[in-house]
Amino acid sequence: LVYIGETLECDESKYVHYSKEAADLGHQSAQHMLGISYKECSNEKEKTLHYTTLAASQGDLNACGMLGHYFSSAVCGLT
């Protein structure tokens, strides 16, 4: 990661910490991205559904589409 000419070390734990903080405060994009992160990186189904549903309930169209996909494909145990 480069920031104004300096190379920064990537810290996933900080990414998750600050994303979760923003998501829990109601930030729609953070909720959506955190849902994606939980699905792709840790396969934590409950957290994936929780944050994706929060984003969808605020009108995030991509999150709505993801939930539809989860139901149609039985992803995360949904049927």
Side-chain angles (χ1 to χ4, degrees), residues 36-54:
I36 291 171
S37 295
Y38 278 122
K39 177 163 185 341
E40 293 181 358
C41 299
S42 64
N43 202 24
E44 294 187 50
K45 295 175 182 179
E46 290 180 10
K47 290 182 180 180
T48 296
L49 291 174
H50 174 73
Y51 287 107
T52 303
T53 301
L54 286 176

Side-chain angles (χ1 to χ4, degrees), residues 53-75:
T53 301
L54 286 176
S57 69
Q58 291 196 69
D60 186 302
L61 298 178
N62 291 319
C64 291
M66 287 175 65
L67 284 177
H69 170 72
Y70 293 166
F71 276 102
S72 70
S73 304
V75 174

Side-chain angles (χ1 to χ4, degrees), residues 3-19:
Y3 177 74
I4 309 179
E6 295 183 38
T7 301
L8 303 176
E9 189 174 321
C10 183
D11 187 336
E12 288 183 30
S13 66
K14 285 184 180 179
Y15 165 77
V16 171
H17 171 78
Y18 289 113
S19 294

Side-chain angles (χ1 to χ4, degrees), residues 20-36:
K20 186 177 181 318
E21 190 172 303
D24 290 341
L25 289 171
H27 192 279
Q28 177 182 325
S29 295
Q31 292 166 342
H32 181 198
M33 294 307 297
L34 201 53
I36 291 171

